[in-house]
Amino acid sequence: MIIQVKHHLGEYPVYIGADLLANPQTWLSHIKGRQVMMISNQSIAANFLPLLHHHFKHLQCDQFVLADGESSKNWQNLQQIWDALISQGHRRDTTLVAIGGGVVTDITGFAAACYLRGVNYISIPTSLLAQVDAAIGGKTAINHPRGKNLIGAFHQPQAVIIDTHSLRSLPERHFRAGLAEIIKAALIQDQIFFHFLENNSAAILARDEKILTQIIYRACQIKAHIVMQDERENQQRALLNFGHTFGHAIECVFDFKDYLHGEAVAIGMVLAARLSLTETGLTVAEFDRIVALLDKLTLPCHLPPTIDSEKLLQAIYQDKKNSHQGLNFILLTKIGQSIIKSIQPEILKPLALPSPS
Amino acid sequence: MIIQVKHHLGEYPVYIGADLLANPQTWLSHIKGRQVMMISNQSIAANFLPLLHHHFKHLQCDQFVLADGESSKNWQNLQQIWDALISQGHRRDTTLVAIGGGVVTDITGFAAACYLRGVNYISIPTSLLAQVDAAIGGKTAINHPRGKNLIGAFHQPQAVIIDTHSLRSLPERHFRAGLAEIIKAALIQDQIFFHFLENNSAAILARDEKILTQIIYRACQIKAHIVMQDERENQQRALLNFGHTFGHAIECVFDFKDYLHGEAVAIGMVLAARLSLTETGLTVAEFDRIVALLDKLTLPCHLPPTIDSEKLLQAIYQDKKNSHQGLNFILLTKIGQSIIKSIQPEILKPLALPSPS
């Protein structure tokens, strides 16, 4: 299956299917020059690089392997990637190939954005989260000690290759966390898709490859549709942040350690849905369906009893201050329909209270 | 005078005139948010920042001052600019304001390109070279120990403000070096402009402000016209590199110490013109006019007797290798008309010989 994503300088395909990496004839043509630099991380590299090396044997093929984890999305690694490109003589027609989760696709995209003022890159996201989120839309970045993704660029890939086989080896907790962004896509834009997720939760958790391909395809389609209308995130693209203000604040309060991004977003979506009850007319029945689906897919739905409410509120205000949009939140008018709404700070206070233990 | 430069995301004005900085009403509207970060270098800052600070007194106005010289266009400074923006709470609607030569406008543009994935910047070039070259076209970059401008981005300013008053304090040697890029603009595209430069060389050297405004305007117009047709330098924009392959090689051989960029380009243009005699039919009379004009404007026209020809040729091949275009050169078919032509390496050898002392 292919989704074509248009942007202001051209367009690129997102290929979705089983075993795409073993069959490169569909996507190898997106490498234009005679050089590639594969960028991956330690736990992924052994699984994928030998196969890709084989596909790229007619090219100058170099590689750069990052340590696992979010902390690899840093300055030092970015510089080392550029140093490697320069010392190995990569020219303006080289292609960087990212193979890994969001950390790898984000730093690779940013390295490509600024090397010789922009070279091509191909994104091969191997985690569910990266497949339905990081790989589409051209957002690239590294982290700064003071915050995530503060330094980055918009730089579109030549192609995105989502091989559902790569999910087989994904640890269970990471797999489930990725589902949060799929549920988000349904919540903000597609009621029927939400219904589909409700009806197929068992198959999803069993990683039925046919169902997975379908839901990844639909989530990517929704994201692609939104980013095509607002490439630089001036307006509508903000809808993709549903649950994310609360989610980021939760990640922040726990120092990015206790919760995976998708887990924090799951709780964040419940909080945003709760806010939608009073602010935008979401019904209690719909709210209950949202919590039930998250629960069925074994995602967390409540703030932990130990949370420091004051710290959480501060983190929310900080996030909003950085985004210079006042206290605008993405809320649901119903399942499958979202809007941006300005919220008075006081209204947030009861939401930040921990769940009774 | 205003030149409007269109690009794929919008357009921006280039204001050219005397005393524009003292009269900000024409350009102050290009600052959209309530924050600015002025970036300059030591020898420039005292002359301009107090005045700008006064204009920006209704805004949060921070500043960052670089040490003088090309070596400031580095990693450490880029990171420090970002650290300052973050620690001083600059948001997505902040504006960076570059006041200085090409070093300052290049690093500021790049800092703006990647801070929060892109914020606005305004370019106030104060050297002649930056006014007619670096400030237009959206090329931003820093240097890498292995080469100039290897890391960068295309990022267009909100406005460019060229105040010809700022040239009054420009050291003589830097002023003349800037003239080389103006002569280049005439050579590649405008015979009548070349003639104008020939007829007004005395007024130019006397820094007659009316004449200066005219020639800066025309040089900017030529550059703007070319970059609008080829924003990302895939084809025609290469014409702006006339004299630059040789020029870069000369800078390189002398370790960027003995020659200013414009001086090296002046010699490079003579070498490219000499190549044009045999390769593209430039006449000897035209060649002599080119050398005569450079000489009248007191720019160097010959390789120094001490040059190492072998090193120079190696630097030329290296430059071409990096640009992945084979041995393509920009040559003149006549004064005011340039083309891209592929050249056999052997033909270059006699050109690289030093002038007899």
Side-chain angles (χ1 to χ4, degrees), chain A residues 87-332:
Chain A
S87 68
Q88 285 153 22
H90 284 256
R91 297 179 296 269
R92 272 180 68 185
D93 58 358
T94 189
T95 300
L96 311 199
V97 180
I99 312 107
V103 167
V104 171
T105 58
D106 278 4
I107 194 172
T108 301
F110 189 39
C114 300
Y115 182 59
L116 304 178
R117 293 202 187 90
V119 297
N120 289 344
Y121 78 108
I122 287 177
S123 202
I124 306 179
T126 57
S127 74
L128 186 56
L129 185 69
Q131 289 176 349
V132 296
D133 193 23
I136 296 177
K139 276 191 179 178
T140 73
I142 55 166
N143 299 328
H144 185 274
R146 295 280 290 269
K148 284 176 77 173
N149 299 325
L150 294 185
I151 308 299
F154 285 92
H155 188 55
Q156 310 292 339
Q158 294 305 106
V160 177
I161 300 147
I162 297 176
D163 185 340
T164 50
H165 270 15
S166 67
L167 298 175
R168 290 178 180 174
S169 55
L170 191 66
E172 188 59 20
R173 192 177 159 202
H174 286 264
F175 174 76
R176 285 190 234 139
L179 294 174
E181 294 283 355
I182 294 178
I183 297 167
K184 180 202 76 182
L187 282 173
I188 61 174
Q189 197 117 87
D190 189 348
Q191 188 179 13
I192 295 168
F193 184 35
F194 188 83
H195 199 61
F196 183 88
L197 295 173
E198 290 179 314
N199 287 346
N200 292 276
S201 57
I204 291 167
L205 284 179
R207 305 199 196 184
D208 176 311
E209 210 148 318
K210 209 177 132 203
I211 296 287
L212 281 189
T213 305
Q214 279 183 276
I215 65 174
I216 293 168
Y217 177 76
R218 183 61 192 136
C220 287
Q221 220 176 20
I222 290 169
K223 174 146 193 194
H225 181 74
I226 290 174
V227 301
M228 279 193 273
Q229 287 171 49
D230 178 21
E231 196 175 323
R232 294 293 171 111
E233 189 158 340
N234 296 311
Q235 292 197 341
Q236 219 208 335
R237 189 163 174 163
L239 297 180
L240 292 166
N241 293 330
F242 177 68
H244 279 61
T245 294
F246 293 113
H248 285 157
I250 294 166
E251 284 182 279
C252 212
V253 168
F254 288 97
D255 215 13
F256 296 93
K257 280 175 189 148
D258 302 38
Y259 289 94
L260 294 177
H261 175 69
E263 293 169 339
V265 166
I267 301 172
M269 290 194 292
V270 174
L271 296 178
R274 182 164 294 157
L275 199 53
S276 305
L277 291 171
T278 52
E279 298 300 312
T280 50
L282 187 75
T283 67
V284 173
E286 287 178 303
F287 176 81
D288 289 344
R289 277 175 69 194
I290 295 170
V291 174
L293 178 58
L294 289 168
D295 197 49
K296 249 203 292 195
L297 294 174
T298 68
L299 281 158
C301 306
H302 303 288
L303 287 173
T306 56
I307 199 155
D308 180 334
S309 301
E310 202 44 51
K311 260 188 165 174
L312 185 66
L313 284 170
Q314 283 312 314
I316 290 168
Y317 299 148
Q318 184 60 33
D319 188 74
K320 284 302 170 194
K321 190 184 159 211
N322 283 336
S323 73
H324 83 126
Q325 297 171 327
L327 283 181
N328 282 348
F329 276 79
I330 315 303
L331 299 179
L332 301 178

Side-chain angles (χ1 to χ4, degrees), chain B residues 42-57:
Chain B
Q42 272 162 7
S43 66
I44 293 290
N47 274 345
F48 296 95
L49 295 199
L51 177 64
L52 289 170
H53 222 294
H54 175 74
H55 296 331
F56 300 151
K57 63 182 182 291

Side-chain angles (χ1 to χ4, degrees), chain A residues 8-9 75-76 78-79 82-83 86-93 106 110 113-118 138-141 144-146 149-155 231-234 321-325, chain B residues 8-9 75-76 78-79 82-83 86-93 106 110 113-118 138-141 144-146 149-155 231-234 321-325:
Chain A
H8 67 276
L9 288 170
W75 269 119
Q76 290 70 33
L78 184 67
Q79 288 192 48
W82 284 329
D83 288 347
I86 292 168
S87 68
Q88 285 153 22
H90 284 256
R91 297 179 296 269
R92 272 180 68 185
D93 58 358
D106 278 4
F110 189 39
C114 300
Y115 182 59
L116 304 178
R117 293 202 187 90
K139 276 191 179 178
T140 73
H144 185 274
R146 295 280 290 269
N149 299 325
L150 294 185
I151 308 299
F154 285 92
H155 188 55
E231 196 175 323
R232 294 293 171 111
E233 189 158 340
N234 296 311
K321 190 184 159 211
N322 283 336
S323 73
H324 83 126
Q325 297 171 327
Chain B
H8 67 277
L9 288 171
W75 267 118
Q76 289 71 31
L78 184 68
Q79 288 193 49
W82 285 328
D83 288 347
I86 291 168
S87 68
Q88 286 153 20
H90 284 256
R91 298 180 296 270
R92 271 180 69 184
D93 58 358
D106 279 4
F110 189 39
C114 300
Y115 182 59
L116 304 178
R117 295 201 187 91
K139 276 191 179 179
T140 74
H144 185 276
R146 295 279 290 269
N149 298 324
L150 294 186
I151 308 300
F154 285 91
H155 188 54
E231 197 174 323
R232 294 292 170 111
E233 189 157 342
N234 295 311
K321 190 183 159 209
N322 284 336
S323 73
H324 84 124
Q325 297 171 327

